[in-house]
Amino acid sequence: MNRPVDSKAYALLTGIILVSLLTGLIIDQFLLALCVGLAVALGLEIRQRQQLTQWLDSRRAVSTPNGHGPWRNIFDQLHRRQELNRRREAQLLLQLQQFRDSAAALPDALVAMDAGGRLEWCNPAAAVYLGFRSTEDHGIQVENLLRLPTFRSYFDAGDFSGSLSITSPVNPNQQLDLRIVPYGDGAYLLMAHDVTRIHTLEQTRRDFVANVSHELRTPLTVVNGYVEALIDQKEQAPDGWLPALESIDQQAGRMRSIVEDLLMISRLESDSEPHNQGTVAVAALLQDACREARTLSGDRTHQISLEADPLIGLLGNHQELYSAFSNLLFNAVRYTPARGEIRVRWHRDGDGAHCQVSDTGIGIAKTHLTRLTERFFRVDINRSRDTGGTGLGLAIVKHVLNRHDGVLQVNSELQRGSTFSCHFPPARVVTLDQPLQTG
Ligand code: ADP
C-alpha cells in the first residue's frame, strides 16, 4: 500500500537532485546548486505537512488539501476515509433517530438512567405516566423525581427480577407496573406499563368473590340449622328421609367450609400486611392445633407428636398463623392412613425459625408439587372431597406465609409421606423470656 507513495517520493527527490546537479554543472557551482535543490525539496515537504496539520486541526468538515507528488496519494486516501466516516456517521444518526422515534411511539414509559440513577432520556409516555420531562429533568436522580419509598427500596435493593406495582404520581386512578432492566456499562432502563385495567378486573374479582361468599354465608347457616334440627328429630321423619337429610347436612357443611375459606382468602388479599401484629406464641398455638387435629383424626388414631421450643415467638397475626399451621396439620391427618405418624416441629437456626409438619401418608407425585398452592388444585378431587377438603387450604397457607415474609417448602414421596416446611426470616423471630400463653 505504501510502495507507490514511497517510490514517488524517491522519484521526486532524485529528480530535484538531478536538476540541481545539472544546474551546478552549467553554473559550475555543484554544492550551491545541490543545497538550493535540497532546500526546495524540504520547503515543498514542509508546506504539504503544514497543509495536513491545518486540515487535521480544522474542526469544520473541510475537504482534504490538494497534494503534490506523493502527498496527493496520502490526501486521496484521507479523503476516501473521510467520506466513509461521513456516510457511517449519517447512517448511525439515522438509526439513532429511528430508535428514538420508535421508543417515542411506544405506549409504555421508557426512561434511560445512567449508572448513578440519573435521568438521561425519556419518551413522551414517561411524561404522561410519571410526569418526567426529558430536557428539564435531565441529570436529576430518578429517585428524587419519583418520590415513593417503595420505589426507593426497590431500586436500592438492586434485585430487578420482579416488578413493582405503583399508583401513577400524575393520575391517582392509574395503576402502573414498573420494571428496571440493567444494560450496558452499569446503566438502567426503567419501564412503566399501564395495568389499570387488569388491576380493576382483579379488584372486581376480589369484591365479587368476597360479596358472593358473604351473601351465601347466612342462607347456608339457616339451611344447616334446619337440617340439623330435622336430623335431631329423626324419629318423626318420614321413612327413607334420614339419608337424604344427612347428605344435605354434609353438602351444606362442605359449602360452608368453602365459603369460610374463600372469605379468609379475600381478607388475606385485601391488604398486603396482616393487622393486629404481635408476638405469637407458636408453641402454644401448635399445641391447640394438634388438639384439634386429634379430634379430626377420631378413631383413625394417628400418632401426632409435637416438638416445639416454647421460647421462640413469631412476629405476626395469631389467627392467620393458626389458620396456616392447622391447614397443614389437618391435611396431614386427611392424607395419612389410620394410625399413621404425624410429627410437628418448631425450631430455629441461623436462617430463622421453621415449622415442619411431616406425615407418613400417601405422598404427592413430583409433577404436582409446583401446583399445590393454586386455588382449587387437588391431586385427587374425589379423595379431597371425601375427606372434607375445599382445595383452598394450601392457597391460604401460601398467602399467610407471604404476608409474614415466610416461604413454603414441600418435600414428598409417593406412598412414603410428605413434609411441609414453613421458613421465617430472622427479622420475624422473637426470643421470649418465658413461654407465652396462646393469643
Ligand atoms: P384440599 O382441601 O383438597 O386438601 P389443599 O389446598 O389443602 O386442598 O391441598 C391441595 C392438594 O394437595 C390436596 O387436594 C392434596 O391432593 C394435596 N395434599 C395436601 N397436603 C397433603 C399431604 N399432607 N399429603 C398428601 N397430599 C397432600
Side-chain angles (χ1 to χ4, degrees), residues 97-110 121 123-125 129:
Q97 194 52 44
Q98 279 171 344
F99 167 76
R100 289 212 164 171
D101 287 349
S102 54
L106 275 180
D108 289 348
L110 274 189
W121 172 88
N123 70 350
Y129 291 174

Side-chain angles (χ1 to χ4, degrees), residues 111-122:
V111 182
M113 295 187 263
D114 65 12
R118 287 173 289 264
L119 188 142
E120 292 227 301
W121 172 88
C122 65

Side-chain angles (χ1 to χ4, degrees), residues 200-213 266:
T200 314
L201 282 174
E202 189 64 18
Q203 189 60 45
T204 314
R205 180 191 62 78
R206 263 186 238 143
D207 291 349
F208 176 78
V209 172
N211 289 336
V212 168
S213 314
S266 293

Side-chain angles (χ1 to χ4, degrees), residues 4-10 12 45 48 67-75:
V5 178
D6 291 347
S7 61
K8 274 191 183 175
Y10 290 130
L12 184 72
E45 279 293 303
Q48 296 282 315
H68 301 289
W71 285 95
R72 173 174 302 209
N73 232 324
I74 295 173
F75 290 146

Side-chain angles (χ1 to χ4, degrees), residues 399-413:
H399 265 293
V400 172
L401 292 195
N402 273 351
R403 287 154 67 85
H404 289 81
D405 310 317
V407 182
L408 178 69
Q409 184 193 344
V410 187
N411 293 316
S412 192
E413 216 177 307

Side-chain angles (χ1 to χ4, degrees), residues 116-150:
R118 287 173 289 264
L119 188 142
E120 292 227 301
W121 172 88
C122 65
N123 70 350
V128 181
Y129 291 174
L130 304 166
F132 292 0
R133 296 154 307 168
S134 194
T135 323
E136 292 91 327
D137 294 337
H138 184 265
I140 299 180
Q141 290 277 343
V142 171
E143 279 180 332
N144 292 336
L145 292 170
L146 201 62
R147 293 184 160 276
L148 293 172
T150 45

Side-chain angles (χ1 to χ4, degrees), residues 6 9 24 43 66 82 93 117 128 137 182 209 220 235 246 251 254 258 261 270 303 305 320 322 352 355 375 380 410:
D6 291 347
N66 285 324
Q82 191 188 31
L93 275 174
V128 181
D137 294 337
V209 172
L220 275 173
E235 300 79 27
E246 280 172 347
Q251 295 305 321
R254 225 173 74 71
I258 293 177
D261 279 359
S270 58
Q303 295 164 41
S305 63
E320 289 184 15
Y322 185 83
C355 175
R375 278 166 221 198
D380 178 342
V410 187

